[in-house]
Amino acid sequence: MIPERKVLDTYRASLIYQFIGNDLGEVHAGEGFYDALFLRDGAYQIWSLALAGYLPEARQALDLFRKHQTKEGQFVTQEGQL
């Protein structure tokens, strides 16, 4: 347990924001401008969900990465970005 209330509240708020940006299981970096899946951000978001004990949600989001995989195996969510 984290003894500092402010730290615990910040942690809980970060989890809430993870779920706010979660559109039908696909993690998004934010609402509006970043309302899409970005590979690096999504990977960190899925990892944070798993570490927080939300394993079914993390697995669902990870499974949705597959729709962004090309025939060659590369993952592309934003054209022009590596």
Side-chain angles (χ1 to χ4, degrees), residues 11-29:
Y11 170 73
R12 288 179 177 151
S14 72
L15 286 175
I16 291 169
Y17 283 115
Q18 292 293 336
F19 285 104
I20 288 172
N22 188 323
D23 292 338
L24 302 174
E26 184 174 82
V27 292
H28 290 185

Side-chain angles (χ1 to χ4, degrees), residues 18-80:
Q18 292 293 336
F19 285 104
I20 288 172
N22 188 323
D23 292 338
L24 302 174
E26 184 174 82
V27 292
H28 290 185
E31 293 296 317
F33 184 75
Y34 290 107
D35 194 19
L37 174 64
F38 288 79
L39 289 174
R40 184 204 61 204
D41 297 342
Y44 281 125
Q45 288 173 278
I46 291 169
W47 187 25
S48 73
L49 290 173
L51 290 175
Y54 294 96
L55 296 177
E57 292 83 356
R59 181 174 297 282
Q60 180 185 16
L62 190 58
D63 287 343
L64 290 172
F65 266 50
R66 289 188 197 148
K67 73 179 185 179
H68 299 284
Q69 190 172 19
T70 67
K71 292 178 189 176
E72 296 78 25
Q74 181 181 11
F75 289 89
V76 178
T77 57
Q78 308 299 317
E79 289 297 323

